[in-house]
Amino acid sequence: MPILSGKVSLTVNATGELTFTLPPMHRGIDIIRKLKSVVQVYDNGELLYEGRVLDAKSDMYHTVTYTCEGTLAYLLDSIQRPKAYHNLTPASYLSDKLTQHNSQVGAEKHFLLGTVEKQTMNYDAREDNQYTNTLDTIMDKLVDSNGGYLRVRKQGDDRYLDYLESYHRTSGQVIRFGENILDLTEHISAENVITVLIPLGKAAEGENGESGKRLTIESVNGGKDYLEDPEAVALYGRIVGTKNWDDVTVPANLKAKGREYLASARNLTATIELTAIDLHLVDVDIDRIKLGDMIRVVSPPHKLDQYMMVSKREYNLVNPQEDKIVLGDTIAALTERQAALQKNVEKQKHFSASVEEVRGSVSALAGAVDSAKQDVSALGGKVQTLEGNSTETQKTLQGINNSLTAQEEKMKGIKEDIQEGQGRLNELEREGQQIKETVQQILPRLDVLEQPDQELEERLQGILTRLDALEGGA
């Protein structure tokens, strides 16, 4: 008997979820047990999802809806006891955490260490001193701190945990407006923007085992306990935030971590949620879109033509046409565009000054040409005057010839300088046009913000006006 509904939801660095509904007379209702029953979903013989039943809900018609969590959630069933580590690598740290996990749970929940692509960690020694479950410990101390992706991989009866730099797969499909995009929602948020950061390290141990004051960067930062991003402050103002690193005990390391975090904390977060048809459903020869894929998205109305990562993939097991694909964390944040634009404006100011300098040089060169012409004319008259005395005239003519040669070299240099100046003017005009096009591309993007920045838009319009004036003057 088939299920009434079902949906698999997969997200990078998450356990994943399966929900399905069984009719009242389905024989599975009597045998499914919470936390014990394991449900698998296959797609053309390939294991798409495996998880355990977490919850069950029955309605007035006695249909039952089950919710399952993926096998990565097995790591929630063990606790990591306090331990000190030295000469750490991602592989050694993850291996030890899995060893502790496997010692506390049954064989059906064991993990083997899989592929570890990350080679270095942000610290080579640390002390885990809190009793946290294995999954939270790995996510907090390893993935969140060093980046990368966890992936559960089943090979035969063995279950492996991989730690990847990326999924290393590019889908052969193209998500294209008017072809397989059914709906598109773009969301840009400034909720988590920080422009001034106070980084905090490990807390000192106080009396009676209580935590004391946290480590700060004052000793290595000129007496200031904060880091500031001038470009972000110019765009958004001073927005102060904090970030704790419980593992860091050296101020210089804390400052380095703070700078790295602030570089990303200034960015607006941007995600795109697509409802798209996986063309693999209508043509098996077309590559299927999978979680973690890099996939090209082409949508002229949204000014999109770039590769983005599939950060979430939803499969509707009954109505595949309702599959969803979520792309996120790959769109260039507006902060970066605006900061780049400001740099271009400053560069344009420099170019404007350079244009005036070149024009002045060209004017000076033109004056030198006129002076050379006058010298040649005077020398010609001198030749006629000296014709009566051959010896003296010969010496004079030789001097005139030498002078003419010098003037010719000077004229050649002047001509080359003029050509170089003209080439520089042409280059400046082209770069000015590129900056103008960049501004024109950014202006429409401001429309997607929930509360457009009117002041920024006026500044951009001002830049366009100045560029038009500069092109007219050049």
Side-chain angles (χ1 to χ4, degrees):
M1 185 178 294
I3 62 176
L4 298 178
S5 65
K7 183 175 71 173
V8 173
S9 180
L10 304 177
T11 305
V12 294
N13 286 334
T15 60
E17 183 181 85
L18 163 67
T19 59
F20 62 96
T21 301
L22 300 182
M25 303 303 294
H26 197 288
R27 61 188 180 90
I29 292 178
D30 295 328
I31 62 177
I32 293 177
R33 297 291 180 266
K34 298 182 184 68
L35 295 179
K36 292 291 293 183
S37 298
V38 176
V39 181
Q40 295 178 326
V41 179
Y42 284 87
D43 177 28
N44 291 327
E46 179 182 353
L47 182 62
L48 180 65
Y49 176 89
E50 182 182 36
R52 62 184 177 184
V53 176
L54 187 65
D55 188 27
K57 181 174 61 176
S58 178
D59 64 14
M60 65 181 295
Y61 302 105
H62 302 292
T63 60
V64 184
T65 299
Y66 296 92
T67 301
C68 304
E69 59 182 359
T71 52
L72 185 63
Y74 289 163
L75 295 174
L76 295 170
D77 296 350
S78 59
I79 294 295
Q80 295 293 317
R81 292 177 172 83
K83 186 174 182 178
Y85 295 89
H86 300 279
N87 300 320
L88 271 177
T89 66
S92 67
Y93 185 76
L94 185 57
S95 177
D96 184 73
K97 294 306 178 186
L98 293 181
T99 299
Q100 292 192 54
H101 164 78
N102 292 341
S103 68
Q104 300 176 43
V105 299
E108 74 280 1
K109 299 179 183 179
H110 282 188
F111 286 86
L112 298 177
L113 182 66
T115 302
V116 179
E117 295 180 341
K118 286 282 188 179
Q119 299 299 312
T120 60
M121 299 183 69
N122 288 335
Y123 39 78
D124 58 8
R126 61 165 292 110
E127 181 179 352
D128 291 347
N129 53 14
Q130 295 180 347
Y131 290 82
T132 56
N133 66 67
T134 301
L135 181 57
D136 288 347
T137 302
I138 293 174
M139 289 300 301
D140 181 31
K141 309 302 183 184
L142 191 62
V143 178
D144 292 345
S145 179
N146 296 273
Y149 303 94
L150 295 179
R151 181 183 65 183
V152 177
R153 175 169 49 88
K154 197 76 177 292
Q155 190 169 327
D157 294 331
D158 295 325
R159 183 180 299 108
Y160 292 87
L161 182 63
D162 298 332
Y163 183 32
L164 308 175
E165 290 274 8
S166 70
Y167 280 75
H168 301 293
R169 187 179 185 277
T170 300
S171 175
Q173 283 200 54
V174 176
I175 296 179
R176 195 181 303 275
F177 183 83
E179 182 175 318
N180 55 343
I181 293 180
L182 301 180
D183 188 26
L184 185 151
T185 302
E186 182 177 12
H187 178 68
I188 301 176
S189 174
E191 180 180 358
N192 299 316
V193 169
I194 295 175
T195 62
V196 180
L197 175 69
I198 303 175
L200 300 172
K202 184 177 180 179
E205 294 186 3
E207 297 180 0
N208 302 322
E210 297 179 356
S211 298
K213 183 180 179 181
R214 285 186 174 273
L215 178 73
T216 67
I217 61 172
E218 292 178 74
S219 61
V220 293
N221 195 48
K224 297 179 180 179
D225 66 349
Y226 63 88
L227 299 170
E228 185 172 328
D229 187 331
E231 290 181 342
V233 169
L235 291 169
Y236 303 119
R238 292 177 61 83
I239 304 173
V240 184
T242 63
K243 172 67 176 176
N244 295 341
W245 284 273
D246 294 327
D247 320 297
V248 180
T249 59
V250 179
N253 294 345
L254 181 62
K255 183 176 181 180
K257 285 182 174 290
R259 289 193 181 281
E260 182 179 353
Y261 181 81
L262 185 59
S264 61
R266 76 177 192 166
N267 291 334
L268 305 179
T269 57
T271 58
I272 285 182
E273 181 171 343
L274 290 173
T275 302
I277 297 175
D278 188 345
L279 297 180
H280 174 80
L281 298 173
V282 295
D283 186 348
V284 294
D285 291 331
I286 296 178
D287 192 21
R288 182 156 199 174
I289 299 171
K290 297 182 179 180
L291 183 71
D293 282 0
M294 296 301 294
I295 186 167
R296 186 184 177 195
V297 181
V298 179
S299 179
H302 303 91
K303 295 181 174 59
L304 280 176
D305 186 355
Q306 64 189 87
Y307 282 87
M308 304 179 70
M309 181 180 180
V310 180
S311 59
K312 185 176 182 180
R313 183 73 165 89
E314 292 185 358
Y315 300 87
N316 191 306
L317 304 181
V318 176
N319 299 304
Q321 68 273 16
E322 295 182 6
D323 284 6
K324 284 190 176 182
I325 301 165
V326 178
L327 310 174
D329 298 330
T330 54
I331 305 174
L334 294 184
T335 302
E336 299 296 338
R337 296 179 182 177
Q338 294 166 351
L341 177 60
Q342 285 189 340
K343 291 180 180 179
N344 285 337
V345 171
E346 295 300 321
K347 187 177 181 181
Q348 180 62 28
K349 291 180 180 178
H350 173 71
F351 286 159
S352 298
S354 299
V355 169
E356 294 301 323
E357 179 182 349
V358 172
R359 286 175 176 168
S361 298
V362 171
S363 177
L365 291 171
V369 171
D370 291 338
S371 176
K373 289 180 178 179
Q374 293 174 4
D375 290 342
V376 171
S377 178
L379 289 171
K382 192 173 183 180
V383 170
Q384 294 177 356
T385 303
L386 295 174
E387 283 180 346
N389 190 329
S390 61
T391 302
E392 190 66 28
T393 298
Q394 185 175 3
K395 293 180 180 179
T396 303
L397 287 174
Q398 184 63 45
I400 292 172
N401 182 63
N402 293 340
S403 180
L404 285 172
T405 301
Q407 291 297 327
E408 287 176 355
E409 291 296 325
K410 186 175 180 180
M411 289 286 293
K412 181 180 179 181
I414 290 172
K415 182 178 180 180
E416 291 175 351
D417 288 344
I418 292 175
Q419 291 175 342
E420 181 181 356
Q422 183 61 46
R424 191 174 180 186
L425 285 173
N426 294 337
E427 181 181 358
L428 292 173
E429 290 177 357
R430 288 194 299 270
E431 295 193 13
Q433 181 62 29
Q434 291 175 356
I435 295 173
K436 179 179 177 181
E437 292 174 355
T438 300
V439 174
Q440 291 173 334
Q441 292 174 2
I442 291 176
L443 278 174
R445 300 286 288 170
L446 294 175
D447 296 336
V448 302
L449 294 171
E450 295 178 358
Q451 295 182 349
D453 191 331
Q454 184 64 33
E455 179 182 354
L456 176 60
E457 186 169 358
E458 292 175 355
R459 289 169 61 190
L460 294 174
Q461 290 289 0
I463 293 172
L464 285 174
T465 302
R466 291 179 58 196
L467 288 172
D468 289 336
L470 178 59
E471 291 177 353

